[in-house]
Structures are given as C-alpha cells and as structure tokens.
C-alpha cells in the first residue's frame, strides 16, 4: 500500500464537489433523504444497504416510524410565505409531524426556534422521539414578526417504514477489522457531517485499489439509533473489530482533535498520539461519553477501541448545528488535509508490526551485509543506521514499530524501510 | 444519611464549650485524668471503657505503672511558691515521680525545662518510661531565678494500676468498620488534642442518629501505648477495618493537611484527595512513620488504610506542646469547619458505591424515561445529563462513584443523585 | 568494606601516571598492542588472559586476522617524511594492510582522512572489516600538500593469529556478579578509553583488599568484537551477572552522564539515579542502542542490567576520536572524582539489603533499648531517630535500603548505620 502517489489536492476538490452534491438533501434518521444520499455514494463505492422496519427492537431502543417531508412553510397575516422549507431545509424542526392550520403569533412562537446570539443564523433542531411540529428561523426574522394570524403548513408523514443504513466492506488479508463510522442523518450541514461522509467515501475508494492487511468496514448510519441498530444486528462481527474511528467535523481549518477510545491506550489511540505530535496545536482528549457514535461503540457492553477524529472539537463552535455550517465553512484544502491524516493513520496501522530479532545475542555484523559504514567514524546515513540498531535492539516481540518510533524518536516510515532491509537480510522476522 | 440539616455553627459552639470543660484536667497516658475525661464523654456518647492492668504485655511493650498527681510546687529561698501545678498542669514534667526536698539552684536547674525561643510560654514535657522528676516553666521566670536553696514538692505516685481507654461503636448495615482514632493523653493543650477529641465525640453523636452502611469505631486512647494496647487486644477485629482516620490539630485556622495512609492509594486517601481539591491551600502529604497513632495502625504488621487529618501540619508550629496551645488557639468556627469536612468524608464514604449498568450495550434510551431533553440541542440541565451519561458509561463494576467523579469532573453529590434516578429507572443496579 | 580511608588524591595521580604509561602503545582490536597493555595491567592486578584464534565464530561474527604494525610513513616529492606513524600512531588508518609504492597526490588523497573543522587535529579512523590502507593527518597539513609523486609505506601484516582479552575476577561471598567492562582497542587516546581502563584497574585493586559480598568481574576487551566474543564464550556465566557498568570517558571535567540499562529500572539504574542526584549537572539518559559495549550486554538475547557511565556524553565533544583526546584532556583530579563515584556505587550496591522488621505489629519500644529520647519533645539526633522509624516501618521485605532512602529522603549511609543498630537489637533481620 503506498498512498504517496495520491494527488491530495485533487482529492480535496473531489470531496468538496461531492459535498456540494449532497448538501441540498434533507436527511434525517429515517426517510428518503438518507436513501438518496446512499444512492449517490453507492455510485462511488459498493454499498450494502440495509432497511430495518419500524418497530424493530435494537437493545433498549425501537426503530421509530419513518419520516418524510415534501413541503413546509409559514405565511404571515399578509399571506406572504415568510419561512419556506424549500429554501432551506433547516427551517423545519426535523421529524415534525404534519400540520395545516392558522394560529395567532403567540401560539406560533411556542413552535419557533432561534439563535438570539447569532441573529442571522437558522438553528438546526430535531424532535425524533416526541411528536411535535416546529420551525427554525433567524432571530432577526423572528423578532420582527407582527401580531396577527399566521398560516402554518407541514406536508410530512410519520408512518411505519424503515431505518436505512449502509456498509462498505473492503476485505483485507486478515479478517481483523478497522471500523470507520460516520453519521448521515444531518440535513444541509457541511462540517457536521458531510465532511465525515466524503472523507470516509474517499478513503474507501482509495483502499479499494489496494490489498490491505486489515479488512475495513465503513458504516454510514444515522446518529445514535443507527449505530445502536447496527451493533444490535452485528454482534457476531464485533469481535473482529480491532481498531476504529468515528469521523466528523473534518472540513474546517482548526487543528485536529482526537478523542481517545474508552480504553484510553488502545493501538488507535497510540497511533493518533504519535501522528498528532507533529501536527501543530492538535490535541488529544480523554474519552467522554458525549459526542458522536463513539458513545455507542464505547458503551461498557462493547468497549471497542474506537476513537473520534475531528478538527473543531465537538459542539464547541458557534456555527455548530446552524445554517452557518454551510459550504463556505468547509474547503477543499481542509478536507484534503484531513484525508491526508487518514492516509497516515492507515499507513501506520497497516505497517505497525512487531518483529523478532533472529540474532538476539549481541549485535549482528551489519558491515558484512553492507548495512554499515566500513570506515568507522565516517558518519553517513547515521539516522538510517540508528534505525537499524533500534530495530535490532527492541525487536523482542514486545515492541511494535510504533513503540520503537516512540522510544527511539525515529520516524515510523524510516523504521518501516529499515525493517524491510533487516527482514531481507533475515535479521528480523 | 443527610447531614445537610446539621447546624454547623451551633455544633462549633458546642465543641468549643466541651473543650473548655476538658481543658483543666491533667491527663497522662494513665491515671485519673483520663478516667475523668472519659466519664465526661460517656455522658455524651455511649463508651465501652477498658482498664488494662500495669504489667500487661502489648506486643513489644508493657503497660507501665499508673501515674496520679495531686499537687506539685517549687518554693524559692524566700519561701514563695513560684511554680504551682494547680495554676497550670503543664508545670509538671508529666509522669514525674514524688519528691519533697530542698535543693540548690544549680541542682534544681537539672530538673527544669524551658522554651528559650518563646520566653513567655511553658513547655509540655513527659518522661513516661524513665523515672525522674521535673518542672516546666517559662524562660522568663527561669532566667530570673536567684541563687539559694529551693524547696521542691511533688505529691504524685507511680503504682501498679491500669491504663484506661474507651471505644464508641456505632453498628452499621455492614460489619465493615471505619476507625476514627484520637489521643486523650495530653493535659491542658487544646489543638493537640482536645480539638481531635471533641470532633470525634460530635461526629459519633451525629452518626448515632443515623443508620450508616459502615460500622464506625471511635477510639479514645492514650498516644502510642494506647493504640498499641488496643491493637494487641483486638487483633480479631482488625480485618474488618476498611477505612480509618487519626484526628488531631483540628481547631486552628490553617488549611487542612492530610497525611496519606502507608498504602498511599486506599479509598480514604482517594476521598481526601477528592475533597481537599476544593479546599484552598490544603495539602496532601505522603505517609511518614512520624506523627500520631497512624504510626501504629500503619506499622508493617497491620498496614491499615488509616490516614491522618489535621489543619496545622504535625509539629510544625511554635505553639505545639506549649502553654500557647490554649483555648485562644482554637475557635468554634475552626472546629465547625473541621467537623464539616468530616461530614463530607462520611458522606462520600457512605455513598461511594460501584454500580452496574443493566443495559450496557449502547446507551439506553433516556428520552422515553423522561431523563433526556426532547428537543435535541436545547441544552437544559446539561450537567445532570452528563452525570447520567458518565454513570452509564463507567458503571461496569470497576468504577466507584468517586472514580467517576474524578474521571468526569462531575461533583460527587450530583453523581449520587443521578445514580439514584438511574437506579430507580432500573438502568443501574 | 570501608573506602573512607582511601586517599583519593593519591589514587588520581596513580591513575594518571598509569595512563601516561599506556598512552604511547598502538592498540587495535587484535595484536601486540593489546598484549602489551594487558601485560602492564597484569603487573597490577591478576588477569586471566584469553587468546581466541582468528576464524573462531562468535555468534554472527568471526574473529578476524590479527593486525600488527611496525612502521608507516608518507614521503613527499622532495623525499621528506611528512607523516610518520612513529611520531603518532593515529596517523595510520587502524587495521591498514601493508603497502609500499609511489602514488600521485590525487590518488593519495583517496587514502587520507582529516578533520577540516579542527584543522590542527589528527582524526582516528579504523577499517577493521574491509581491507584498505590509509593515513590520518591534520587538515592544515593536508591542504598544503603539493602536486607530485608521494611514497607511501606501511609495514603491517594481517595474518591468522588471535584476539586477546582479559578478565580479573574478584570472588565475593556470593557468586552473584558485578560486571565492569572497558574497551582496550584504542591507540593513543586518553579519555576514550585509557580513563575507563585505569579506573577499572584501580577499582579492582581496591576491591582486592576487601571481602565483598558480590563477586566482581572486570573485563578488558576490544570494543564490539571483544565483548561479543566474551559473551559467546561465557554464556554459562551470564546468569550470575546481577549488575554491570561499562566505563569510558571518565577523565574529563564534565558532569557525569549515566545511560541506563535497557531494562531501565534495574538496581544499578536506581543506584546511579540516587547517587547522581547530589552531583550537580549530572544527567541520566535513557538506554539507546548506540555507544560502547552496553550495546552487546543489552542486546535483546541477554538484556543484562548493565548501564554505561561517562562524564562527557558519548561522541558529543569535538576532541572525540582525535589527537586532541590526549594526556592534556584528562587530569588526575577528574580521574579521582570518577573513582570516588565508583566507590560510592560499590558501597551502595554492597549495602543495599532488604530487611524484615521482626516486630511488625506497632512500633517496638525503642526507648527501653536506648534508641530513643527519654524526655519526649527534647529532639536530639532526630534525624537518626527518623532513620530508625523509616527502617522499621518499611522493612517488610519489599523495600531495600535504597528504596527507603528514596522514600524517606534520608541518606543511604545513615540508613546503613541505623539498620546496623536495629539489627544488633534484633529488631531487624
């Protein structure tokens, strides 16, 4: 596997353009928006799409009725359409039931959601599990609403149907799996989580062209209910998951934030700690049970080694869950940087073997194998020779290449290359 | 158990007034002073009082003869009583044998103890295990003594008798014990250790009105020989001691100092570390084999999880073991603050359970149980919801509430309250 | 064992004078220079000298042909001898094969080694395992060489012979061994490694006059091939090695540098950490597989608890492997300081026992044994009493005296002396 040849800049543009295509779709935790999204992705990578009927039990949960919406608006007393779902799908309280009636402003206000702190932005709000109806709008618009009778119309339905999710499985040499999960339930919001989706799609596309050691499972699931449903339907597969990442908030320009798995010292945690050391201002956060679907993968009954990768830290930015998280908030360049980190992660994960020194008593004579300077003291390629010495000294079966990188300060890639030379000389196995 | 209703200010006054009552009594490691002290305490909490005869073996030690004193004075060449035990019981070298004779100043000085650095204070000195006689006086008085013949008189006796100690046992739901120990051998000295005694008495009084989970054993023992004697007579009970504290120096205004048990990471150590985090300037000290009776409880043959709580650190203040450690050195307010910390300790100790999440696979659906916001993103009582999520995630049997408080940063009391809601919803057991 | 009576200043002069005697000899990894060196040492301490024939296998290595040299020079076009081995044995590329011919300057330059950064110094270079010939000279001389035909002459031979090494074994009460290793293959170079040799010789001489607990094995071996050969011939003895040090670079005035063994927490590592705490500016370095023969002792097949002691850190000084590492670069005073540290190391190593408190329940009564103040509060020799209390409290078989020194902050020597008093009183065993 060699990702060095990938044109990262080009990939950035490709991912941004896919984001543009997915942006207008009104997604939710169920419904045709999810199906339409998965259909577009299915043209790019092979998906196995599942439909789980409403009413199906998933541990403590139950698949809710399916939600579909066609239109929604508010007309003011002058009969002007002042809020229009067709202009921005954030205007609807996601999962609103149908309504068609006239209401006084005072009653209407019980159904309106705004962001007074950011008066130009429309908030994103949901009510999946309690039937209600509502609209979201900018505070500027809200505060100028005049008294009188308003007409509200929501052409939606909540009927038995199914919850839709998809997987893309890339078989590797081993049946040990790497889980990459992203949520697909947000409507027109970019960083959260079109960025996670397009990076997952792109990584899957690139991995498809290789023969990796690990098998890779990409999950495209609605948040919470989706990952719980997947877990409940795939308990037999969970033992194979050796590493995992939840992807979200990867299109903005912030430094990377990695939240460790609940285990706190799993290999994926170590890999991110290693890779983020050289990424300025990036931060490693301890696990907490709040955030994205790592909450489910790391619930105590599973406790999987799954961390969460993002740039902006979860929830801690004003644009979060608002109309300001739009196509201007992400960029091809930022997406390409995030993809690049994902490629580095895969590279380390795939290359992180533990070797055994076949000649553990004293150092082997590197000189006679052309692996050492002949004139003592004439230091050339010292750094590479140090890599050879560290590998020989620490390859006792207890140290992976990543351990050796951390102990020696030598770059992982140099160790990989040195380990190949030593393996070729049968000094490592 | 709810100590919230305790009027702490009132308790402070009560403890100070008990200190006033106990202050004039001349205590030692044996004798009637100890009996008189225990008799007063016995009117407040039920004591089991033990008398251990002189000559009894206690591990490497032997109960000494009992010491009682009625009077003691020095008269100067002008026949003026210049040092008088009846005015301050610190004037006598504690455990002095009887004497009645005339001596020249030069010889007398071999039997006098002073504090030249604090010339107005009388030191407190003892000679329990080597028979001698002596007086303690202020350096100012000492340096003005004129040559001539002095008359010294000590009406004391050292005869076979017994060593007296007492226990107050408060049975809990479990026979696992919390040991609270204080020493009762000091004469008119307040911070060391009337403060420890009155806080122990008060805590016992408050616990008596509750039905605690743990059983509580309060020990009122003379220092060193008393705790060693108690240990030697109660080896069968020691296995039940799960937590313990030695109390002393709790009436002065300093920040709290907690010296950890020899184990260094016992639950009582963790609790104090947790509670002192929010008490400004307080300090956690590593165990050392010098101080009060924790020396005995933490000797290697027992190694009990017993720490030592004080305000002033042991020995490190000039008033220590001098007449300046008097009723002005302690205050009702300081005693009340110390009692308050003790109530917090008991609260955490009693509440520090480890739960099991009954629904460990994925998160349970809190919304359908009324434990979660219905409109996503409308953060109310976020802090309480975070407590719920942390409890569910970490309740795998390995994490106590205190562990969860430390990992999550959420207050212990909020976790207790959240754990009750989850237990009621049968999500924790 | 009491090294207090050693006149350290005198020892410094003795070691410097031995360095002067050894300095002119042209050593290499084999040959008569090594034999001559060992013969001088053998007059001072009893050596067991081994000769291992060329061609003998030693793990991955093979003993090379023996190298001996009698003369070597370069004559310029004017027939002037401009480079002369007899003036400085660094002039020859160590292990050069024989040559006698005329060459043009351009060709000659392929065989010359210089140090342009330090134009007055002659570098030290070797070519043990690839046959070539060469000379080392100052850059000043090199840059002024004029075109023309030069005559080169090296009267050396490389024939089957043997590799020579020596051991000095000092039997102790136990057959557990302390390994002290130094390399003897460098020609006229002082800090690297006459300093290591003379300190090893001197320490062996002093130990010979004592009856130590440990047995001490001093190795005088050529670097790399010598230690590997010794290891290959003594695999049966290796299990006895409980501690070890590689000595080099001990004659310069720098602060001490100790590189830990690969184990990283062995007793010798702890001892050096303890002793260097009070040596200003000294540094503890993590193990790395680069340096002297600790590379071999710490190879994964042996992983012995062998650290490396030096003053200048390995390789990080300009004089390293050049003619500037001469008799002016080391001094009697520096050698004496290094010896002093070695004596401290041996003292702690020999005294570092773990005792058992024979009276572990409560404190024993020290007063009746004359080990405690009789008048409480009259602190004399508090420090010594604290040593007694720490020893009694921590002597549970799990804490060595060094552990107790680290936990208590009390000096190792005071603990040794206190432990003797307690052992005499049968309170420790």
């Amino acid at each position: 596997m060699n990702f060095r040849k990938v044109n990262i800049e080009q990939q950035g543009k490709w991912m941004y353009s896919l984001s543009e295509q997915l942006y207008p779709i009104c997604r939710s935790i169920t419904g045709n928006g999810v199906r339409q999204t998965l259909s577009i992705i299915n043209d790019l990578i092979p998906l196995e799409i599942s439909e789980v009927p409403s009413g199906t039990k998933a541990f403590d949960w139950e698949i809710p009725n399916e939600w579909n919406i066609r239109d929604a608006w508010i007309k003011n007393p002058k009969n002007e359409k002042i809020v229009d779902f067709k202009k921005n799908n954030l205007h609807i309280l996601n999962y609103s039931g149908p309504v068609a009636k006239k209401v006084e402003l005072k009653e209407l206000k019980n159904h309106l959601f705004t962001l007074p702190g950011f008066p130009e932005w429309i908030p994103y709000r949901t009510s999946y599990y309690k039937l209600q109806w509502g609209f979201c709008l900018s505070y500027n618009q809200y505060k100028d609403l005049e008294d009188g009778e308003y007409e509200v119309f929501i052409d939606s339905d909540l009927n038995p149907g199914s919850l839709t999710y998809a997987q893309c499985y890339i078989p590797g040499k081993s049946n040990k799996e790497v889980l990459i999960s992203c949520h697909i339930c947000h409507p027109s919001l970019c960083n959260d989580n079109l960025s996670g989706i397009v990076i997952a799609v792109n990584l899957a596309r690139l991995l498809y062209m290789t023969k990796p050691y690990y098998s890779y499972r990409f999950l495209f699931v609605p948040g919470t209910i989706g990952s719980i449903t997947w877990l409940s339907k795939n308990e037999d597969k969970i033992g194979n998951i050796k590493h995992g990442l939840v992807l979200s908030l990867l299109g903005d320009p912030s430094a990377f934030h990695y939240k460790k798995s609940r285990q706190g010292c799993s290999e994926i945690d170590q890999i991110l700690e290693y890779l983020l050391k050289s990424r300025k201002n990036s931060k490693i956060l301890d696990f907490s049970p709040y955030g994205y679907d790592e909450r489910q993968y790391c619930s105590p009954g599973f406790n999987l080694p799954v961390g969460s990768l993002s740039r902006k830290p979860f929830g801690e930015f004003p644009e979060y869950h608002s109309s300001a998280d739009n196509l201007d908030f992400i960029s091809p360049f930022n997406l390409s940087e995030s993809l690049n980190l994902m490629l580095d992660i895969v590279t380390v994960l795939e290359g992180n073997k533990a070797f055994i020194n076949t000649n553990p008593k004293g150092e082997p004579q590197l000189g006679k194998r052309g692996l050492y300077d002949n004139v003592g003291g004439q230091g050339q390629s010292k750094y590479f020779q140090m890599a050879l010495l560290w590998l020989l000294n620490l390859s006792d079966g207890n140290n992976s290449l990543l351990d050796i990188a951390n102990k020696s300060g030598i770059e992982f890639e140099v160790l990989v290359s040195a380990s190949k030379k030593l393996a070729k000389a049968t000094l490592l196995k």
Side-chain angles (χ1 to χ4, degrees), chain A residues 46-343:
Chain A
L47 294 182
E48 179 197 326
I49 296 173
S50 304
E51 297 282 351
V52 185
S54 299
T56 308
K57 294 273 180 196
F59 301 128
D60 191 52
W61 299 65
E62 192 179 304
I63 306 297
N65 279 342
E66 183 177 325
W67 182 67
N68 283 297
I69 183 163
R70 286 158 295 275
D71 200 3
W73 43 256
I74 304 173
K75 285 187 181 164
N76 68 7
K78 295 173 194 156
N79 205 31
E80 297 160 344
K81 207 180 269 188
I82 56 164
V83 168
D84 186 353
F85 165 76
K86 290 193 169 156
K87 289 194 179 151
N88 192 326
N89 58 35
L90 297 182
H91 276 312
I92 194 74
L93 174 71
N94 203 293
Y95 248 67
S96 278
V99 71
K101 63 174 168 181
K102 296 197 172 182
V103 292
E104 286 300 317
L105 178 61
K106 200 181 157 190
E107 193 200 329
L108 177 61
K109 282 191 168 181
N110 293 332
H111 297 268
L112 298 183
F113 300 92
T114 66
L115 276 175
F118 296 90
E120 297 183 357
W121 300 351
I122 308 164
Y124 161 57
R125 296 286 178 268
T126 66
S127 183
Y128 302 137
Y129 300 104
K130 187 186 171 196
L131 180 60
Q132 53 183 315
W133 64 266
F135 287 89
C136 301
L137 67 167
S138 77
Y139 184 69
N140 280 345
Q141 192 175 12
Y142 173 88
K143 73 176 185 337
D144 292 341
L145 292 180
E146 286 171 18
D147 277 341
E149 199 181 55
Y150 285 75
E151 189 180 352
V152 293
F153 175 71
I154 301 178
D155 178 15
S156 71
D157 48 58
L158 272 162
N159 294 320
S162 59
L163 175 144
T164 317
Y165 67 75
Q167 320 182 47
C168 169
Y169 182 75
I170 298 170
K173 292 178 192 121
S174 163
N175 68 351
K176 292 182 195 166
E177 283 188 21
V178 179
L179 184 78
I180 307 285
S181 177
C182 56
H183 60 278
I184 52 162
C185 50
H186 284 29
S188 292
L189 292 165
C190 283
N191 206 29
D192 179 13
N193 188 29
L194 292 178
S195 70
I197 295 169
V198 300
I199 281 169
V201 169
N202 206 356
L203 179 63
R205 209 168 59 122
L206 291 170
L207 277 166
Y208 223 79
M209 296 183 275
T210 70
K211 183 69 184 167
Y213 169 76
Y214 286 108
S215 296
Y216 287 77
R217 185 178 299 278
F218 291 82
L219 291 189
F220 300 90
V221 291
T224 307
I225 183 76
S227 51
I228 288 171
T229 302
W230 183 84
L231 285 164
S232 76
K233 295 217 160 286
N234 294 278
E235 287 203 64
D236 57 322
K237 296 201 187 72
I238 286 165
N240 287 338
I241 298 173
K242 300 304 176 197
H243 317 282
L245 281 174
V246 169
L247 302 186
S248 186
L249 310 178
L250 288 163
D252 69 82
S254 309
F256 288 101
H257 284 71
Y258 174 69
K259 187 173 90 177
K260 290 199 275 188
S261 74
R262 184 178 184 270
Q263 299 179 12
C265 54
S266 61
E267 193 174 333
I268 192 78
D269 297 329
Q270 292 171 37
I271 289 172
L272 268 294
E273 287 185 289
Y274 173 74
L275 287 172
L276 293 190
K277 250 188 282 181
S278 57
R279 258 119 174 148
K280 219 180 141 186
N281 297 323
S282 62
K283 273 194 192 143
I284 302 287
L285 310 169
D286 281 333
F287 177 76
S288 75
Y290 195 57
Y292 293 109
D293 285 328
E294 69 278 7
R295 292 161 66 159
Q296 312 310 329
Y297 304 124
C298 296
S299 58
F302 296 113
N303 198 22
L304 294 174
V306 174
S308 170
L309 184 65
S310 62
R311 302 189 72 144
K312 291 274 185 215
F314 172 70
E316 295 178 19
F317 53 101
E319 296 86 353
Y320 176 77
H321 279 195
S322 86
S323 56
D325 181 5
N326 56 28
L327 286 162
D328 293 336
F329 193 55
I330 64 172
S331 80
F333 177 75
N334 301 334
L335 291 167
S336 74
E337 276 191 333
S338 299
L339 177 69
N340 210 22
L341 174 57
M342 287 304 298
L343 297 180

Side-chain angles (χ1 to χ4, degrees), chain A residues 31-50:
Chain A
N32 293 325
V34 172
R35 288 190 194 95
Q36 194 183 340
T37 299
L38 294 177
S39 158
I40 289 168
I41 295 173
N42 206 9
D43 289 346
L44 305 167
I45 54 173
L47 294 182
E48 179 197 326
I49 296 173
S50 304

Side-chain angles (χ1 to χ4, degrees), chain A residues 351-384:
Chain A
N352 192 25
K353 297 171 198 160
F355 291 92
I356 302 273
N357 178 341
T358 58
N359 192 88
K361 295 182 177 177
E363 289 169 5
Q365 193 175 0
L366 296 174
K368 70 184 182 190
R369 296 175 174 92
L371 294 169
Y372 214 77
D373 277 345
N374 287 306
V375 176
Q378 293 279 91
Q380 265 118 28
S381 65
K382 275 264 159 177
Y383 190 68
F384 193 79

Side-chain angles (χ1 to χ4, degrees), chain A residues 391-408:
Chain A
L391 281 164
L392 289 167
N393 189 273
L394 293 180
S395 288
D396 53 8
N398 296 320
N399 294 293
S400 69
L401 291 192
L402 187 60
D403 295 330
I404 300 175
N406 281 323
K407 288 183 187 177
S408 68

